[in-house]
Amino acid sequence: MSPQFFRTAKLITASRLATPIVSKTFQSRTFVSTARSMAATVDSSFISRITAAEKTITNQEQPVAGGPTAAAQSHANQPLNGQVIHDITMGERKITGLDGPVPSGPTSIAQSILDASSSGNGGASGVLDSETISKITEKEKELTGEDGPVRRGPTAKAQQHVGEPITSEALHDITEGEKKITGGERVKGGPTSKAQSELSKSRQ
């Protein structure tokens, strides 16, 4: 066998062996990317869960006009994000008349799905959901020494934006609430800092 023929045969063999490995790696990466995308999309399964949660509140077979299901449907096939949560929250308020979401209601369901899809960034959603507000409350308790949140304090301000993305406006309101319990100053590591920390983690 000539040296030239041997080198050619070796290249062909190496190429055939490498092909399945490259293909397998590509397929694996594509699957992971698709799975993450599906987990954070307002698809038919997501809307069905919102509808079921709405029915537990209204006891009606059909969704209410302008309610949480209608809000979810308006974002069909879009990524699940803070704006979607906000719109569902507004729809839930319409059918309950309450300022905050009810346990296991449409907003809570939507938030739990969003939190699950955010597992890659430590579970931080970048939204003022029940978990984030709970962390703000803990920081408030450290400052006040009281068991519950203070009226018009940082927790109360955060609750006004429940289900909304942590925006500069929301942070401003939380800061104003923090100043109320500190005597006019913002504290390092306090409620506002905690909200900003959750926002930063959601962007990682």
Side-chain angles (χ1 to χ4, degrees), residues 70-138:
Q73 288 173 332
S74 70
H75 293 281
N77 300 316
Q78 296 178 15
L80 176 58
N81 54 32
Q83 184 59 53
V84 177
I85 300 291
H86 169 70
D87 290 351
I88 291 172
T89 302
M90 293 298 103
E92 183 175 331
R93 287 182 184 179
K94 179 174 181 178
I95 64 174
T96 64
L98 303 173
D99 290 336
V102 300
S104 301
T107 300
S108 296
I109 294 294
Q111 286 174 346
S112 67
I113 295 171
L114 179 60
D115 289 345
S117 71
S118 303
S119 58
N121 50 34
S125 63
V127 174
L128 282 165
D129 53 21
S130 56
E131 184 177 349
T132 302
I133 292 176
S134 177
K135 292 176 181 178
I136 292 170
T137 303
E138 288 304 312

Side-chain angles (χ1 to χ4, degrees), residues 27-49:
Q27 289 173 355
S28 175
R29 286 177 180 172
T30 303
F31 173 76
V32 171
S33 176
T34 303
R36 285 179 180 170
S37 176
M38 288 175 63
T41 302
V42 183
D43 55 15
S44 58
S45 174
F46 174 85
I47 293 173
S48 293
R49 293 183 65 180

Side-chain angles (χ1 to χ4, degrees), residues 16-32:
R16 285 176 178 169
L17 287 172
T19 301
I21 298 172
V22 173
S23 175
K24 185 177 180 182
T25 303
F26 176 76
Q27 289 173 355
S28 175
R29 286 177 180 172
T30 303
F31 173 76
V32 171

